[in-house]
Amino acid sequence: MVKWLNEKGLEDDVVISSRVRIARNIEDVRFPQAARKEESEKVTKDILEAVKNSNKNDNYKFFEIGRLSSLDKNVFIEKHLISPNLIQKPDMSSFLLRDDEKVTIMINEEDHLRLQILLPGLNLEEGWKLCSSIDDGLEEYLDYAFDEKFGYLTSCPTNTGTGLRASVMLHLPSLVLTGYANNIFQAVSQIGLTVRGLYGEGTKALGNIFQISNQTTLGETEEEIIQKLKNVVIQIINKEREIRENLLETRSVEIEDKVLRSLGILKYSRIISSEEAMKLFSDVKMGIDMGIIKNIESKDIINLMMLTQPASLQEYFKEDLDVEKRDIKRAELIREKIKN
Amino acid sequence: MVKWLNEKGLEDDVVISSRVRIARNIEDVRFPQAARKEESEKVTKDILEAVKNSNKNDNYKFFEIGRLSSLDKNVFIEKHLISPNLIQKPDMSSFLLRDDEKVTIMINEEDHLRLQILLPGLNLEEGWKLCSSIDDGLEEYLDYAFDEKFGYLTSCPTNTGTGLRASVMLHLPSLVLTGYANNIFQAVSQIGLTVRGLYGEGTKALGNIFQISNQTTLGETEEEIIQKLKNVVIQIINKEREIRENLLETRSVEIEDKVLRSLGILKYSRIISSEEAMKLFSDVKMGIDMGIIKNIESKDIINLMMLTQPASLQEYFKEDLDVEKRDIKRAELIREKIKN
Ligand SMILES: [Mg+2]
Ligand SMILES: [Mg+2]
């Protein structure tokens, strides 16, 4: 199981995880996409040094992208431990992963340094606190590119300022089912937040899972960004819960039918695509969180959502699998995990 | 369980039942749609008398349509024991049902007398033999309308001649799945046979069940009609089996997935329409007949196909149920029956 799922998160009937990440760059060094080899190596060396010096008590494992198999790289992505972007420049990128998998320090992704904190449930303040303290530690050893007027300089102008992106991953099956989701997401956009899917932009409807994050990082303090996002998320949580209750009252048989059918299919199917599995997982998780399905835990489903992604699936079976095979093995894995 | 399902039929991996029926009318009495009340009553009386005299050893129960509840009437139809047509004229129609439910004698349906034999599996000759012997018995006591040139006279010209309609009910999931069905049915039509669905014309695709019967009754002897139909049916059975085998070889996981998913849904759903249930029953029956599903019997599924029809369902629960309720109760009944 993904390590960050081991702890119980707050509001975990709706929220899956909270993520905080900051972008930093080293003064007077070209951004990664324009950097020379020696520059990149220097950046890597300096950051490793800084981490070592400033985080004495933490254990990090160091991974160089160029040395990971394609499978391994994608497993890290599927677990949300690194960004898809990081693996584009295998000759210069690397990352440090803290043993509890809550902290990732990406080196030479789009920026020289990207620090990510990932926590279960709704936990943005905690995330920001941890992020900020690690950042402060690093700043003692690194000369950040910082501008009086603009704040932290970043490769992409949308990150310039605080360099902070905070996001929360939510499971919103009822909002989608009743059609409320669209209106809410539109409203969310209008107040300067962004809604993406489980694995980013193009995956919006997957498993009714949505990531909500801030869009711009300039002109607000980190605390304001965190606060605003949290407030919006809480409203969405309440709405999702309210509708679930209402569904239980007014359309209970229909909902039972929906979630139990999905469970039936998961238990019996022999071939299942990733898309369908996600849809059914969403139903089953909804059934669990609404008290209809009793003998399965919500976090097992989230775990399965990640486990059944292409790379993780192959890693699990220790086998190279093409699409057809994956659909068969995915069904097998699900039957195995759901039985127990 | 429908009585005629108790006996094991021949070729019952494909054939559900065989039906033989003949149409007869009484000389010098107007056909039912034009008859006066007293005529109809006389016809009824005479037929009852004739049955009593000629079938001394058989036990028949007598039902007057006008005295049956709407539910009861439809249960008989759903079990294929009487024709939908019979209940259109409640003031004059009635029927006799032999205790083993293999023989129905309908009175004042479209013709004065319709004698139906219904047997499990492929059993046309047996059906015709039984039909013919009962008919011969009746003919001793009844003055049939018969014309040297045309044969037995009937209300609808398409029945004139032998008055015989023979039909076989088949379950052809593989032919439908692979698209062969259309071609075969077209060919079947061209040689003068008719293909209808489980409950007649408009229900063709329901549960992949098809009734194949002769179209005309003039110009062939009864034996020829029976023989021709049987020959065609055997070819269809062989083709269906051949494809099933081929599917097992070439697409086994896919087929397993299909039939097991359907089983999963049947076991878990809480609301299910008749249409969907039929589709899933067909899959499950196919799974049973192909050896994929082990602990359920093929005839239980056929029984369920009839039990979950609107009237039978209400009769089972001894409750009046509207469409919504029926869908819930149908799911309940299925879960109950499939568990055991
Ligand atoms: Mg700081
Ligand atoms: Mg005769």
Side-chain angles (χ1 to χ4, degrees):
Chain A
M1 185 162 308
V2 189
K3 275 194 195 163
W4 55 263
L5 275 170
N6 283 339
E7 256 167 81
K8 175 148 180 59
L10 293 166
E11 326 296 353
D12 66 353
D13 55 329
V14 181
V15 180
I16 296 173
S17 63
S18 301
R19 208 162 50 87
V20 167
R21 78 106 177 91
I22 55 171
R24 296 289 184 266
N25 287 279
I26 309 302
E27 184 76 11
D28 289 329
V29 184
R30 261 170 296 200
F31 292 136
Q33 62 263 45
R36 295 289 168 276
K37 200 165 186 305
E38 43 286 15
E39 285 176 311
S40 302
E41 287 171 353
K42 179 89 166 43
V43 163
T44 310
K45 209 174 117 291
D46 292 356
I47 292 177
L48 287 177
E49 199 68 22
V51 173
K52 211 173 101 192
N53 292 333
S54 66
N55 283 265
K56 294 244 157 77
N57 307 323
D58 288 354
N59 279 322
Y60 284 90
K61 215 177 254 79
F62 180 61
F63 300 88
E64 281 167 284
I65 294 301
R67 305 214 162 182
L68 292 172
S69 71
S70 171
L71 215 64
D72 289 344
K73 286 185 286 200
N74 281 293
V75 170
F76 283 114
I77 293 174
E78 287 170 4
K79 288 182 169 178
H80 289 95
L81 296 176
I82 63 174
S83 68
N85 226 322
L86 185 71
I87 69 175
Q88 301 305 308
K89 318 203 196 54
D91 47 336
M92 64 163 72
S93 304
S94 56
F95 65 100
L96 290 154
L97 181 66
R98 207 168 75 172
D99 283 7
D100 61 355
E101 297 195 346
K102 285 185 182 159
V103 183
T104 314
I105 297 171
M106 285 170 265
I107 305 175
N108 288 322
E109 195 235 30
E110 198 182 286
D111 295 292
H112 292 143
L113 183 148
R114 290 227 163 161
L115 169 58
Q116 162 182 300
I117 311 300
L118 181 67
L119 301 177
L122 182 62
N123 213 344
L124 285 166
E125 284 102 339
E126 203 56 41
W128 168 239
K129 232 176 76 186
L130 177 52
C131 180
S132 182
S133 92
I134 297 178
D135 178 50
D136 292 354
L138 291 169
E139 202 156 356
E140 286 176 38
Y141 299 88
L142 292 168
D143 187 11
Y144 282 169
F146 186 86
D147 176 280
E148 279 308 311
K149 191 151 133 250
F150 287 118
Y152 291 100
L153 298 180
T154 54
S155 167
C156 176
T158 60
N159 286 317
T160 303
T162 61
L164 170 71
R165 171 136 298 135
S167 74
V168 179
M169 191 174 293
L170 301 113
H171 182 231
L172 303 171
S174 304
L175 289 180
V176 171
L177 180 70
T178 54
Y180 276 84
N182 280 343
N183 297 341
I184 289 180
F185 294 161
Q186 207 175 319
V188 160
S189 299
Q190 283 161 355
I191 55 172
L193 300 180
T194 297
V195 182
R196 289 152 70 240
L198 172 59
Y199 289 108
E201 200 46 57
T203 63
K204 214 180 227 183
L206 213 55
N208 297 317
I209 292 183
F210 301 90
Q211 296 186 62
I212 301 192
S213 60
N214 62 318
Q215 262 191 81
T216 51
T217 81
L218 184 67
E220 290 169 304
T221 65
E222 286 88 343
E223 284 68 27
E224 286 166 351
I225 290 171
I226 295 293
Q227 211 42 57
K228 175 177 168 190
L229 178 62
K230 187 179 160 184
N231 287 346
V232 171
V233 165
I234 285 174
Q235 290 176 54
I236 296 176
I237 294 171
N238 288 340
K239 193 76 194 167
E240 169 71 20
R241 284 178 181 158
E242 179 185 330
I243 296 180
R244 286 185 190 172
E245 252 169 90
N246 180 279
L247 285 174
L248 269 184
E249 252 174 80
T250 60
R251 297 162 63 186
S252 64
V253 192
E254 184 185 334
I255 297 299
E256 278 171 41
D257 182 60
K258 180 184 170 70
V259 305
L260 287 166
R261 275 174 175 249
S262 293
L263 179 59
I265 295 174
L266 283 173
K267 279 188 154 176
Y268 277 84
S269 72
R270 289 306 185 264
I271 308 174
I272 196 161
S273 70
S274 180
E275 283 69 36
E276 190 191 5
M278 286 304 294
K279 198 188 130 303
L280 300 174
F281 288 148
S282 173
D283 290 347
V284 171
K285 180 171 185 332
M286 182 182 174
I288 297 167
D289 293 333
M290 285 171 78
I292 299 169
I293 296 175
K294 293 287 161 47
N295 44 2
I296 310 180
E297 261 184 279
S298 188
K299 74 179 180 192
D300 297 335
I301 297 301
I302 297 171
N303 194 32
L304 266 173
M305 280 182 170
M306 274 168 294
L307 252 186
T308 55
Q309 293 300 321
S312 305
L313 186 74
Q314 297 177 69
E315 208 244 20
Y316 182 92
F317 284 105
K318 307 290 180 231
E319 250 186 286
D320 258 24
L321 302 166
D322 63 13
V323 177
E324 278 73 25
K325 289 251 180 59
R326 282 209 295 274
D327 288 354
I328 296 173
K329 284 303 196 180
R330 181 178 292 109
E332 187 178 320
L333 170 59
I334 293 169
R335 286 201 310 278
E336 179 181 320
K337 289 287 176 199
I338 283 195
K339 199 150 295 169
N340 320 325
Chain B
M1 186 163 306
V2 189
K3 274 194 196 162
W4 55 263
L5 275 169
N6 283 339
E7 255 167 81
K8 177 151 178 57
L10 294 166
E11 326 298 353
D12 67 352
D13 55 328
V14 181
V15 180
I16 296 174
S17 62
S18 301
R19 208 162 50 88
V20 167
R21 77 106 176 93
I22 55 172
R24 295 288 183 266
N25 288 279
I26 309 302
E27 183 77 11
D28 289 328
V29 184
R30 262 169 296 200
F31 292 136
Q33 62 264 42
R36 295 290 168 275
K37 200 165 186 304
E38 43 286 16
E39 286 176 309
S40 303
E41 287 171 355
K42 178 90 168 41
V43 164
T44 310
K45 210 173 116 294
D46 291 355
I47 293 178
L48 287 178
E49 199 68 23
V51 172
K52 211 173 102 191
N53 292 333
S54 65
N55 283 265
K56 295 243 157 77
N57 307 321
D58 288 354
N59 280 322
Y60 284 90
K61 216 177 253 79
F62 179 62
F63 300 89
E64 280 166 284
I65 295 301
R67 306 216 160 179
L68 291 172
S69 71
S70 170
L71 215 65
D72 289 343
K73 285 184 287 200
N74 281 293
V75 170
F76 283 113
I77 293 174
E78 288 170 5
K79 288 182 169 179
H80 290 94
L81 297 175
I82 63 174
S83 68
N85 226 321
L86 185 70
I87 69 175
Q88 302 304 308
K89 317 203 196 53
D91 47 336
M92 63 162 72
S93 304
S94 56
F95 65 100
L96 290 153
L97 181 66
R98 207 169 74 173
D99 283 6
D100 61 355
E101 298 194 345
K102 285 185 181 158
V103 183
T104 314
I105 298 171
M106 285 170 265
I107 305 175
N108 288 322
E109 195 234 31
E110 197 181 288
D111 295 291
H112 293 143
L113 183 149
R114 290 227 163 161
L115 168 58
Q116 162 182 300
I117 312 300
L118 181 67
L119 301 176
L122 182 62
N123 213 344
L124 285 166
E125 284 101 339
E126 203 56 42
W128 168 238
K129 232 176 76 186
L130 176 53
C131 180
S132 182
S133 91
I134 297 178
D135 178 50
D136 292 354
L138 291 170
E139 201 156 356
E140 286 175 39
Y141 300 88
L142 293 169
D143 187 11
Y144 282 169
F146 185 86
D147 176 280
E148 279 308 310
K149 189 150 135 250
F150 288 118
Y152 291 99
L153 298 180
T154 54
S155 166
C156 176
T158 60
N159 286 317
T160 302
T162 61
L164 170 70
R165 171 136 298 135
S167 74
V168 179
M169 191 175 293
L170 301 114
H171 182 231
L172 303 172
S174 305
L175 289 180
V176 171
L177 180 70
T178 54
Y180 277 84
N182 280 343
N183 298 340
I184 289 179
F185 294 160
Q186 207 175 320
V188 160
S189 299
Q190 284 161 355
I191 54 172
L193 300 180
T194 297
V195 182
R196 289 153 68 241
L198 173 58
Y199 289 108
E201 200 45 58
T203 63
K204 213 179 227 184
L206 213 55
N208 297 316
I209 292 183
F210 300 90
Q211 296 186 62
I212 301 193
S213 59
N214 62 317
Q215 263 191 78
T216 50
T217 81
L218 184 67
E220 290 170 304
T221 65
E222 286 88 343
E223 284 68 26
E224 286 166 351
I225 291 172
I226 295 292
Q227 211 42 58
K228 175 177 168 191
L229 177 62
K230 187 179 159 183
N231 287 347
V232 171
V233 165
I234 285 174
Q235 289 176 55
I236 296 177
I237 294 171
N238 288 339
K239 193 76 195 166
E240 169 71 20
R241 284 178 181 158
E242 179 186 329
I243 296 180
R244 286 185 190 170
E245 253 170 89
N246 180 279
L247 286 174
L248 269 184
E249 252 174 80
T250 59
R251 297 162 62 185
S252 65
V253 192
E254 185 186 333
I255 297 299
E256 278 172 41
D257 182 60
K258 181 183 169 70
V259 305
L260 287 166
R261 275 173 175 250
S262 292
L263 179 59
I265 295 174
L266 283 173
K267 279 188 154 176
Y268 277 85
S269 71
R270 289 305 185 266
I271 308 175
I272 196 161
S273 70
S274 180
E275 283 68 36
E276 190 190 6
M278 287 304 293
K279 197 187 130 304
L280 300 173
F281 288 147
S282 173
D283 290 347
V284 170
K285 180 170 186 332
M286 182 183 173
I288 297 167
D289 293 333
M290 285 171 77
I292 300 169
I293 296 176
K294 293 285 162 47
N295 44 3
I296 310 180
E297 260 183 279
S298 188
K299 73 179 180 191
D300 297 335
I301 297 301
I302 298 172
N303 194 32
L304 266 172
M305 280 182 171
M306 274 169 293
L307 253 186
T308 56
Q309 293 300 321
S312 305
L313 186 74
Q314 297 177 67
E315 207 245 20
Y316 182 93
F317 284 105
K318 308 289 179 230
E319 250 186 286
D320 257 24
L321 302 167
D322 63 13
V323 177
E324 278 72 25
K325 289 251 180 59
R326 282 209 296 273
D327 288 354
I328 297 174
K329 283 305 195 178
R330 180 178 292 109
E332 189 178 319
L333 170 59
I334 293 169
R335 288 202 309 278
E336 179 181 321
K337 289 288 175 198
I338 283 194
K339 200 150 294 170
N340 320 325

